[in-house]
Amino acid sequence: MSLFRGGRQIVTTLLVNNSIKRTLATSAKKDAKVCVLGAAGGIGQPLSLLLKNTPLVSHLALYDIAHTPGVAADLSHIETKAKVTGHMGPSELEAAVTGADIVLIPAGVPRKPGMTRDDLFNTNASIVANLADACAQFCPKTMLGIITNPVNSTVPIASEVFKNRGVYDPKRIFGITTLDIVRANTFIAEARGLDVSKVSVPVIGGHSGVTIIPLISQTTPPLSFPQEERERLSRRIQNAGTEVVEAKAGAGSATLSMAYAGARFTFSMLEALSGMEGKVECAFVRSDETEVKYFSTPLLLGPNGVEKNLGIGKLIEYEVELIKEALPELEANIKKGEDFVKNMK
Ligand SMILES: NC(=O)c1ccc[n+]([C@@H]2O[C@H](COP(=O)([O-])OP(=O)(O)OC[C@H]3O[C@@H](n4cnc5c(N)ncnc54)[C@H](O)[C@@H]3O)[C@@H](O)[C@H]2O)c1
């Protein structure tokens, strides 16, 4: 079975006779280093497990301010190729990120019931700024995938930090919104009783509430919905993170589905880095598609990051309204991130 959509060349057979056996046919880069910053957290641990389970990674560097040695020792016993190194605390950050082809940042606090993603800003902004600054110094050419919320602000923060170090390349900094696409695929397939592996729904905009814009009219295969159902599904996709936060009742936000989504994005990026053509993922990047500076749309990935922005495509009127609803909030979130870096000491 193919573990991730789009990873056509990775043929994976899972859970055979209580062991994990894999048949692999891949032309991907053989020596990729992937670094996870926040690797001991709710997302960091399962994400690192999925990355350890792919032959696309040869070195998995795990960094956190706590518990990294245990997570690294645990994962290092798995009988797969990737060498695992654990790095704990700021003095070990340089070694963790140096030479990384991809750095993923899930470090920071998650939501509790009643909180918006923006409520996390005060804590997470400085965490992302500091980690991005280390990347700008020690692996300025890395592909940086930011998971830490509020993504609508943390991506501008990382971008400004890279600019301050004179190493900014907008094609290499991504806010990982893949979970919105994963959720949209699941909910739309369920609504029509379809095989979810054959359903693909672009989700554009940002990664919080009304800024999440599912383009159900562009679903593959084409599906038609009465307007009321389309609206209900769109709102569910926008609020799906809150469903998980409420169900976890104070114990955090989505971790397992986010780990899956983060791994899906990373595998696509690794394959693109290796020269595989046609890898497309949506992500929140510097963009000229709308009047706001950062916006998620489907992106063609390549060895240098964003190869081509595939744009918004044809919209129905309802989706135009969703974009109009999203832009003011996106603009405010982006400005908040940029101002934070301007005011940093
Ligand atoms: N992009 C998305 O779709 C998406 C989805 C779910 C959650 N998130 C976000 O991901 C983040 C992490 O969520 P979680 O559930 O894994 O949280 P968590 O609290 O379980 O884990 C966070 C980890 O970050 C570590 N950490 C804190 N400060 C650090 C620093 N300065 N350097 C390195 N590591 C540091 C902590 O020690 C902890 O291990 C949150 O901000 C959450 O909102 C994003």
Side-chain angles (χ1 to χ4, degrees), residues 18-342:
N18 287 337
S19 68
I20 297 179
K21 292 185 180 168
R22 294 161 306 134
T23 316
L24 299 161
T26 177
S27 60
K29 191 170 183 245
K30 292 288 187 290
D31 59 352
K33 175 175 176 179
V34 178
C35 177
V36 182
L37 305 179
I43 295 167
Q45 291 201 38
L47 173 60
S48 301
L49 172 62
L50 291 168
L51 296 172
K52 173 67 176 128
N53 197 40
T54 172
L56 302 176
V57 177
S58 65
H59 181 178
L60 182 58
L62 308 178
Y63 174 83
D64 204 299
I65 51 171
H67 308 304
T68 346
V71 176
D74 193 357
L75 285 176
S76 73
H77 291 183
I78 294 175
E79 52 171 356
T80 54
K81 170 175 122 179
K83 176 179 81 169
V84 179
T85 53
H87 310 265
M88 190 164 72
S91 65
E92 299 184 13
L93 182 53
E94 176 178 350
V97 300
T98 299
D101 297 285
I102 301 180
V103 174
L104 302 166
I105 307 187
V109 291
R111 283 192 289 162
K112 289 194 164 36
M115 289 172 90
T116 67
R117 292 177 178 88
D118 190 52
D119 293 334
L120 304 172
F121 186 93
N122 288 343
T123 312
N124 289 351
S126 56
I127 293 176
V128 170
N130 288 331
L131 295 173
D133 193 48
C135 295
Q137 288 180 72
F138 306 121
C139 58
K141 292 276 183 199
T142 198
M143 300 297 161
L144 184 60
I146 301 173
I147 294 168
T148 308
N149 276 315
V151 166
N152 294 356
S153 303
T154 52
V155 170
I157 286 173
S159 303
E160 292 303 305
V161 166
F162 270 62
K163 280 183 204 168
N164 286 348
R165 291 271 176 199
V167 293
Y168 179 53
D169 179 352
K171 295 182 164 45
R172 290 170 185 264
I173 298 183
F174 303 84
I176 302 189
T177 61
T178 318
L179 183 52
D180 300 319
I181 289 85
V182 165
R183 287 168 168 157
N185 292 346
T186 304
F187 301 161
I188 299 286
E190 269 172 15
R192 282 289 177 273
L194 296 172
D195 173 355
V196 68
S197 70
K198 302 203 165 58
V199 174
S200 177
V201 188
V203 181
I204 65 167
H207 177 68
S208 73
V210 296
T211 72
I212 298 169
I213 306 163
L215 299 184
I216 296 177
S217 73
Q218 294 181 18
T219 298
T220 310
L223 300 171
S224 70
F225 289 92
Q227 180 56 17
E228 195 201 335
E229 191 180 8
R230 181 190 305 280
E231 280 183 34
R232 193 163 30 79
L233 284 163
S234 298
R235 295 302 175 194
R236 184 171 180 215
I237 294 161
Q238 291 180 326
N239 296 318
T242 305
E243 267 181 36
V244 180
V245 171
E246 283 170 4
K248 290 198 174 179
S253 59
T255 53
L256 304 173
S257 51
M258 181 59 234
Y260 169 90
R264 170 181 147 166
F265 177 83
T266 307
F267 292 176
S268 290
M269 194 73 248
L270 283 167
E271 288 170 344
L273 283 177
S274 77
M276 202 181 285
E277 290 178 0
K279 303 311 298 182
V280 174
E281 293 288 350
C282 294
F284 187 67
V285 294
R286 180 75 180 85
S287 166
D288 296 322
E289 292 302 310
T290 67
E291 66 205 53
V292 296
K293 282 193 215 164
Y294 297 83
F295 200 84
S296 174
T297 43
L299 308 169
L300 180 65
L301 304 175
N304 298 309
V306 180
E307 192 81 33
K308 189 173 180 208
N309 192 322
L310 301 180
I312 291 173
K314 195 160 166 274
L315 301 175
I316 59 171
E317 205 179 310
Y318 174 64
E319 292 159 352
V320 173
E321 289 307 313
L322 288 181
I323 295 185
K324 278 193 202 147
E325 198 181 352
L327 290 179
E329 184 163 330
L330 269 174
E331 185 159 17
N333 294 160
I334 291 165
K335 183 170 182 313
K336 191 170 176 181
E338 291 180 339
D339 287 349
F340 176 82
V341 179
K342 259 188 224 135

